[in-house]
């Protein structure tokens, strides 16, 4: 009679012994530490070279510019102690607050001049150089048509910086909190070249400084005592972990190995709300998930009938309602409706057509373009390997196969996929665009003919460029909105982009984390965050 009890007890002990051990980085006594899951591996921590949102999540903690993100992601002054704008809106003069780099050297206006000239140097090959075309002669410098000294950036003295613009830009404070406008330490860059962001050479001016960077494992930063507002920073140490496997990251959050993770598999939202009460954070984002077609590189895509057929053939309602299930909305425009200054009524002309009717029209367009059962169109869909993207890729491949296409899907690690997109080494690709600032221009500027690497589709229309130029020079906000709406409608009418859905930001955040504020731009600076100690007798991650 005792044997079953002994067996049960043995099994119970075995199960307890097999529970995964909570593995967290060591935290010095008396310090506040944070384990931060950050989705993908950072390819660069150089403000002038990085292009991904997950890189900016770290860079925004290591550096700060004239403006920075508030907890709500609105622009607030950082190094800009004060500023004056000329009556014509073209000259902005900033008085800098006294501050130092992490090695104790002063941050000066000349560090901004150096950074902006470096950003626009063709040799830097910055994917975001086009953002600085706003500065007088920025485009000419980037294209090698003018020398760097002609750029509209001047250090009037060590603490006075003057920016001269090509056209008025009332949204400039929102743009200046972007990494592309951060200063970089001229002395460190000159001494170490591209190796200046290695931990042993690193110099920054943000709330944290870089200590370790082990590729594929973690990035460790510690509180920067030289930061101008260091006393208000709560967290002493952060480990950023790449977490491309969101389900594994979810388990690490549940075990207390991560305090937060900046993503989770969308279709698991209800399960996570049930199993991790208080952790799930979702919020509508200024972001659009879309499919880019490499028009210059694939002759078939140069036919608008093919592009329209591929767009019409994607079942956006199924993807958002059945696969994602976290509040995403089908996208029939590229600029999210919540964007400040977004014009009304902009959408794909066929958006109200029922899906079966769209499919029939798509087949007709493909046949008209010369593709059908006897000559099927072959398309390679190249995607990053996140669970959500792979799920969407399967749905899109099935939709296109139903139209008679031969579809192959190629999976790459996220950094590799985006490198291929930038080099136009793809046929069709999937990605999300998150607003760099809250204005339609951050979306529509992608498709200017002179944008460069991030115009993945190669869209090129002089009329589109002219509309954006006209909007840039329009002081009336209402008229400017109409011009941008006209440009977006032109892009949609030409099927220059295949919008799929409006993104919902998703994160798992421990209830012990304070200061994490959900916002449409989905930017969260660690300087605003703190961690409550666990209750007595409770280890992190216990529920």
């Amino acid at each position: 009679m005792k044997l079953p009890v002994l067996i049960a007890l043995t099994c119970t002990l075995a199960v307890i012994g097999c529970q995964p051990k909570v593995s967290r980085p060591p935290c010095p006594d008396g310090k506040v530490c944070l384990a931060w899951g950050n989705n993908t591996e950072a390819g660069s921590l150089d403000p002038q070279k990085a292009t991904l949102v997950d890189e900016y999540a770290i860079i925004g903690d290591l550096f700060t510019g004239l403006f920075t993100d508030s907890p709500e992601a609105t622009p607030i002054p950082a190094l800009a102690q004060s500023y004056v704008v000329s009556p014509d809106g073209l000259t902005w003069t900033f008085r800098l607050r006294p501050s130092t780099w992490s090695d104790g050297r002063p941050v000066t206006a000349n560090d901004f001049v150096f950074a902006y000239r470096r950003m626009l140097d063709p040799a830097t090959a910055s994917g975001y150089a086009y953002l600085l075309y706003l500065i007088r002669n920025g485009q000419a410098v980037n294209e090698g048509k003018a020398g760097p000294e002609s750029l509209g950036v001047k250090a009037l003295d060590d603490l006075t910086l003057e920016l001269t613009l090509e056209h008025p830009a009332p949204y400039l404070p929102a743009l200046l909190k972007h990494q592309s406008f951060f200063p970089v330490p001229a002395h460190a860059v000159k001494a170490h070249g591209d190796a200046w962001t290695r931990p042993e050479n690193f110099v920054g001016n943000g709330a944290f400084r870089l200590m370790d960077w082990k590729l594929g494992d973690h990035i460790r930063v510690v509180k920067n005592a030289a930061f101008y507002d260091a006393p208000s920073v709560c967290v002493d140490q952060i480990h950023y972990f790449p977490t491309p496997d969101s389900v594994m990251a979810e388990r690490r959050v549940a075990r207390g190995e991560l305090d937060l993770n900046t993503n989770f598999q969308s279709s698991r939202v209800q399960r996570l709300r049930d199993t991790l009460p208080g952790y799930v954070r979702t919020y509508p984002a200024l972001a659009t998930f879309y499919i880019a077609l490499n028009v210059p590189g694939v002759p078939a895509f140069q036919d608008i009938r093919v592009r329209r057929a591929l767009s019409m053939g994607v079942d956006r309602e199924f993807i958002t309602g059945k696969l994602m299930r976290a509040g995403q909305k089908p996208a029939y425009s590229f600029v999210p409706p919540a964007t400040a200054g977004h014009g009304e009524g902009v959408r794909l002309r066929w958006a109200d057509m029922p899906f079966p009717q769209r499919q029939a029209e798509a087949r007709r367009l493909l046949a008209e373009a010369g593709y059908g059962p006897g000559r099927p169109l072959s398309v390679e869909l190249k995607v990053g390997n996140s669970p959500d993207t792979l799920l969407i890729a399967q749905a899109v491949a099935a939709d296109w196969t139903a139209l008679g296409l031969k579809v192959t899907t190629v999976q790459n690690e996220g950094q590799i996929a985006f490198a291929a997109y930038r080099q136009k080494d793809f046929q069709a690709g999937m990605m999300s665009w998150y607003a760099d600032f809250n204005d339609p221009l951050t979306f529509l500027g992608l498709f200017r003919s002179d944008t460069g690497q991030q115009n993945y589709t190669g869209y090129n229309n002089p009329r589109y460029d002219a509309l954006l130029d006209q909007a840039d020079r329009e002081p009336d906000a209402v008229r400017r909105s109409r011009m941008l709406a006209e440009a977006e409608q032109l892009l949609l009418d030409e099927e220059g982009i295949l919008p799929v859905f409006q993104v919902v930001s998703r994160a798992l955040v421990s209830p012990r984390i304070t200061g994490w504020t959900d916002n449409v731009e989905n930017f969260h600076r660690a300087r605003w965050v703190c961690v409550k100690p666990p209750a007595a007798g409770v280890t992190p991650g216990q529920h």
Side-chain angles (χ1 to χ4, degrees):
M1 293 297 296
K2 293 182 179 180
L3 184 59
V5 175
L6 291 173
I7 291 175
L9 180 59
T10 302
C11 292
T12 300
L13 293 172
V15 169
I16 293 172
C18 292
Q19 289 295 319
K21 183 181 179 181
V22 175
S23 175
R24 287 179 61 93
C27 183
D29 290 341
K31 299 296 183 180
V32 177
C33 298
L34 193 59
W36 184 307
N38 195 47
N39 202 30
T40 61
E41 178 73 59
S44 175
L45 295 180
D46 187 326
Q48 269 82 57
K49 293 189 176 184
T51 60
L52 301 182
V53 171
D54 297 327
E55 294 167 334
Y56 179 51
I58 303 171
I59 290 170
D61 292 336
L62 297 175
F63 297 89
T64 195
L66 294 166
F67 283 76
T68 190
D69 294 291
S70 72
E72 296 79 20
T74 55
I76 58 173
L79 295 189
Q81 195 170 54
S82 63
Y83 64 97
V84 176
V85 185
S86 64
D88 62 5
L90 295 178
T91 303
W92 294 59
T93 305
F94 298 89
R95 185 65 182 173
L96 306 184
R97 72 170 68 245
S99 62
T100 62
W101 293 104
S102 54
D103 62 359
R105 302 217 5 197
V107 178
T108 72
N110 280 303
D111 289 315
F112 284 90
V113 175
F114 174 82
Y116 295 2
R117 289 180 177 181
R118 176 176 180 260
M119 180 85 177
L120 290 165
D121 186 339
T124 303
S126 171
Y128 266 124
Y130 70 92
L131 284 184
L132 272 68
Y133 288 3
L134 174 68
I135 300 175
R136 181 164 292 173
N137 293 324
Q139 184 169 1
V141 172
N142 187 234
E143 294 176 350
K145 298 176 181 177
E149 67 284 347
S150 69
L151 187 64
V153 182
K154 292 182 180 178
L156 303 184
D157 59 46
D158 281 352
L159 292 177
T160 308
L161 178 71
E162 180 185 87
L163 301 184
T164 304
L165 309 184
E166 288 281 358
H167 55 78
Y171 54 84
L172 185 63
L175 196 54
L176 291 176
K177 67 186 180 75
H178 188 267
Q179 65 198 39
S180 301
F181 290 86
F182 290 174
V184 295
H187 60 286
V189 177
K190 290 175 180 177
H192 303 290
D194 286 342
W196 77 275
T197 55
R198 292 178 181 171
E200 64 270 21
N201 303 325
F202 178 82
V203 176
N205 72 326
F208 297 87
R209 57 191 178 93
L210 180 65
M211 299 302 291
D212 303 313
W213 185 359
K214 186 176 181 181
L215 288 175
D217 189 357
H218 72 270
I219 289 173
R220 181 171 71 94
V221 305
V222 299
K223 183 175 176 179
N224 177 16
F227 180 55
Y228 69 85
D229 195 25
S232 70
V233 178
C234 171
V235 175
D236 297 293
Q237 178 175 272
I238 307 172
H239 280 76
Y240 298 95
F241 295 95
T243 53
D245 185 336
S246 57
V247 176
M248 179 60 70
E250 166 193 322
R251 294 169 184 157
R252 293 179 68 187
V253 170
R255 292 198 297 265
E257 294 179 1
L258 296 176
D259 296 305
L260 64 92
N261 194 57
T262 55
N263 198 9
F264 61 79
Q265 191 169 325
S266 187
S267 60
R268 294 172 65 85
V269 61
Q270 190 55 55
R271 174 188 175 92
L272 290 168
R273 284 177 175 144
D274 293 340
T275 58
L276 288 172
Y279 278 72
V280 174
R281 310 290 282 265
T282 61
Y283 203 78
L286 290 185
T288 302
F289 187 95
Y290 69 103
I291 299 171
L293 303 177
N294 182 0
V295 174
V298 181
F301 295 162
Q302 294 163 22
D303 189 327
I304 189 173
R305 295 170 296 187
V306 173
R307 299 196 301 273
R308 181 162 294 153
L310 294 182
S311 189
M312 295 179 84
V314 175
D315 191 345
R316 294 159 174 82
E317 284 71 17
F318 174 81
I319 289 172
T320 55
K322 301 297 184 181
L323 296 186
M324 297 290 97
R325 305 203 300 267
Q328 296 87 347
K329 302 295 184 184
Y332 294 100
S333 63
F334 188 59
V335 180
T339 307
H342 183 233
E344 296 181 1
V346 180
R347 65 201 315 250
L348 290 161
R349 305 283 185 184
W350 44 263
D352 294 328
M353 189 182 295
F355 185 62
Q357 190 176 339
R358 289 185 215 162
Q359 287 181 305
E361 177 63 8
R363 293 188 186 98
R364 187 193 69 78
L365 288 169
L366 287 169
E368 191 176 280
Y371 300 100
R375 188 189 174 217
L377 175 64
S378 295
V379 175
E380 180 184 274
L381 182 59
K382 183 170 289 188
V383 300
N385 60 357
S386 73
D388 279 338
T389 303
L390 294 176
L391 192 64
I392 298 165
Q394 292 172 8
V396 170
D399 287 341
W400 286 350
T401 299
L403 300 180
L405 277 67
K406 287 186 175 180
V407 185
T408 56
T409 302
V410 175
Q411 303 175 26
N412 288 134
E413 190 275 331
Q415 285 284 353
I416 295 172
F418 276 96
Y421 300 155
R422 290 191 293 269
Q423 296 161 11
K424 302 296 185 288
D425 179 22
F426 75 104
Q427 292 185 359
M430 289 180 163
M431 66 264 336
S432 294
W433 183 259
Y434 282 79
D436 292 317
F437 55 104
N438 192 354
D439 188 89
L441 196 60
T442 189
F443 292 92
L444 302 180
L446 284 177
F447 304 104
R448 287 187 60 105
S449 61
D450 54 11
T451 288
Q453 298 174 359
Q454 296 194 78
N455 182 355
Y456 303 130
T457 69
Y459 183 75
N460 184 339
N461 186 322
R463 184 181 162 210
Y464 181 85
D465 292 353
L467 283 167
L468 294 190
D469 289 340
Q470 189 178 356
D472 280 341
R473 289 165 173 78
E474 177 51 63
D476 184 88
V478 174
R479 286 198 292 267
R480 177 179 182 269
S481 177
R482 289 174 184 155
M483 292 169 186
L484 293 174
E486 184 179 350
E488 183 182 5
Q489 191 63 59
L490 176 61
L491 174 71
L492 297 173
D493 288 348
E494 294 196 322
E495 309 291 347
I497 190 69
L498 279 64
V500 179
F501 61 82
Q502 303 302 335
V503 173
V504 170
S505 62
R506 308 183 303 279
L508 295 176
V509 182
S510 168
R512 295 175 54 234
I513 302 295
T514 62
W516 181 280
T517 303
D518 296 322
N519 61 75
V520 294
E521 294 189 50
N522 198 30
F523 294 148
H524 305 277
R525 300 278 69 86
R527 64 179 286 199
W528 309 120
V529 170
C530 197
V531 187
K532 294 186 292 187
V538 177
T539 58
Q542 286 184 336
H543 309 295

